[in-house]
Amino acid sequence: MARKVRHVMGISGGKDSAALAIYMKNKYPDLDIEYYTTDTGKELEETYQLIDNLENYLGKKIHRLVAAEDSHQNPFDHYYEIFGGFLPSSTARWCTKKLKLDPFEDYVGDDLVISYVGIRGDEDREGYVSKKSNIQSIFPFRQNIWSVDVMKMAFDNANIELITRLYSEQQQEAIFERINEVLQRPISKSFLLEQKVQLLLDIDVVIFNHVIFQFLKMTDRPIATETYFPLVDNTDILIKADIFNLLRESGVGVPAYYEPIEFEVDGKKGTYARSRSGCFFCFFQQKIEWVWLLEQHPDRFAKAIEYEKEGYSWMDERLEDLARPERVAQIKRDYIKRQERTKKSVAANSQLLLDILTDEGDGCIACFV
């Protein structure tokens, strides 16, 4: 008897994961998706409000996963103490593993799992892919819904004949010659995996998806037990503007920390906002976001300062130094200059401008998709 697959989706409190939940409910109502969120205990109130709003919209419980649930401390402080006051950083993301990934992997255990991740179609990055073979990630907003590990396996040069046969079974004679030219070219230093995949996607996304689905049915991946997977017929690509539209039109709403707030320095005006969900002291924040926290949530900024000790700070300068009025003014000046330079260089493309000015950077995908 085939093992049942669990369809799960993590809700971070960020815009993309919330929009994905709305999208999946509307587009694939027959998929029985479990929703969960991992609470670090250090989120802004707007994050919890978004999760509550989304739970009402979905008509389903969002399971609250809490690391170190039996501790007398909140999750972050529990592990902060265990790590001897060592703050997490981009090179030591113990917060990601202990507060996000471990609770999720404990939640699903050894069950076969398809995990839906909200990486947008206008983002050039790979989302969370578990190292556990029983968890498979799917990216519904992208042209390529499959994860990079699946692409490496399917398009290994040893599988050229197999993938060619699977394509031929799709009975698309009109385009098979073009497809075959791409398939027969081996992956090499001059012809990368990404190039091969993109060429095939550009020819026909649906056929590509059906071929990969048939390939995966020959493996032990979770999706292999499914007789049909509705996303193989999906050609949607959602970008940032679509995400905000989904949140607003659904009534779930956009968290207030994403909405631009005007500031002024030296007679010049700019706007700042938060670019991510996650802990209010996230070390991936831009300095202008730390200024936003200082001015919009001074109590939270003060709490972030309390964690900084001799030799340990959230970034390359201490928050006490960043909070000095002259330093705040300089950060604002620098940010306005960057905005002005960007406006000049991409003035002809308003959508690109929006994306650059509200860029999330290279933050941790487990925390704010």
Side-chain angles (χ1 to χ4, degrees), residues 97-315:
K97 176 171 172 50
K98 295 298 185 181
L99 306 183
K100 298 284 185 175
L101 301 185
D102 285 356
F104 165 64
E105 294 187 347
D106 288 344
Y107 172 64
V108 301
D110 294 325
D111 292 345
L112 297 179
V113 168
I114 296 175
S115 174
Y116 297 90
V117 182
I119 300 292
R120 301 190 310 271
D122 57 352
E123 293 184 286
D124 184 20
R125 56 185 174 131
E126 189 65 28
Y128 164 67
V129 177
S130 176
K131 294 180 180 178
K132 297 183 68 175
S133 61
N134 62 305
I135 302 173
Q136 180 173 352
S137 296
I138 295 290
F139 305 90
F141 287 160
R142 303 191 317 194
Q143 183 184 37
N144 185 8
I145 64 173
W146 311 101
S147 56
V148 67
D149 60 320
V150 169
M151 295 295 93
K152 288 178 179 178
M153 181 169 53
F155 294 104
D156 186 283
N157 288 336
N159 289 330
I160 288 178
E161 185 177 337
L162 171 59
I163 297 298
T164 301
R165 176 172 63 79
L166 293 177
Y167 258 104
S168 67
E169 291 172 358
Q170 296 298 313
Q171 298 180 341
Q172 295 290 330
E173 291 83 359
I175 58 174
F176 183 73
E177 183 176 348
R178 291 164 55 205
I179 291 171
N180 194 45
E181 287 179 6
V182 179
L183 293 177
Q184 297 309 312
R185 187 174 176 184
I187 301 296
S188 66
K189 290 182 179 179
S190 60
F191 187 54
L192 303 178
L193 171 65
E194 294 82 1
Q195 293 173 287
K196 188 166 192 171
V197 168
Q198 192 59 57
L199 286 170
L200 292 169
L201 285 166
D202 289 343
I203 293 171
D204 195 295
V205 172
V206 173
I207 295 174
F208 179 92
N209 286 342
H210 278 269
V211 167
I212 298 301
F213 180 57
Q214 292 304 315
F215 171 79
L216 288 170
K217 289 183 71 65
M218 303 175 187
T219 71
D220 61 355
R221 294 302 174 99
I223 207 169
T225 65
E226 300 285 90
T227 55
Y228 173 66
F229 186 56
L231 272 78
V232 295
D233 295 314
N234 188 7
T235 58
D236 291 345
I237 301 175
L238 275 71
I239 62 173
K240 184 175 290 185
D242 301 313
I243 301 309
F244 282 105
N245 288 339
L246 277 169
L247 291 171
R248 292 189 173 111
E249 291 171 4
S250 67
V252 170
V254 177
Y257 48 68
Y258 286 126
E259 300 292 1
I261 296 174
E262 189 174 84
F263 65 81
E264 184 173 339
V265 60
D266 300 337
K268 291 187 175 182
K269 293 182 178 179
T271 61
Y272 58 17
R274 211 160 190 248
S275 65
R276 68 191 71 246
S277 61
C279 299
F280 61 83
F281 45 54
C282 179
F283 48 83
F284 277 121
Q285 290 181 108
Q286 302 171 56
K287 292 190 177 181
I288 192 65
E289 293 178 87
W290 281 110
V291 171
W292 175 91
L293 185 69
L294 168 66
E295 296 183 340
Q296 304 303 317
H297 294 275
D299 57 328
R300 298 300 180 95
F301 189 90
K303 288 183 181 297
I305 286 179
E306 291 175 8
Y307 286 100
E308 293 194 327
K309 300 174 182 176
E310 188 65 36
Y312 295 101
S313 59
W314 292 111
M315 53 179 168

Side-chain angles (χ1 to χ4, degrees), residues 10-26:
I11 307 299
S12 67
K15 61 187 184 303
D16 296 337
S17 63
L20 180 58
I22 296 165
Y23 174 84
M24 294 297 289
K25 172 182 169 59
N26 295 340

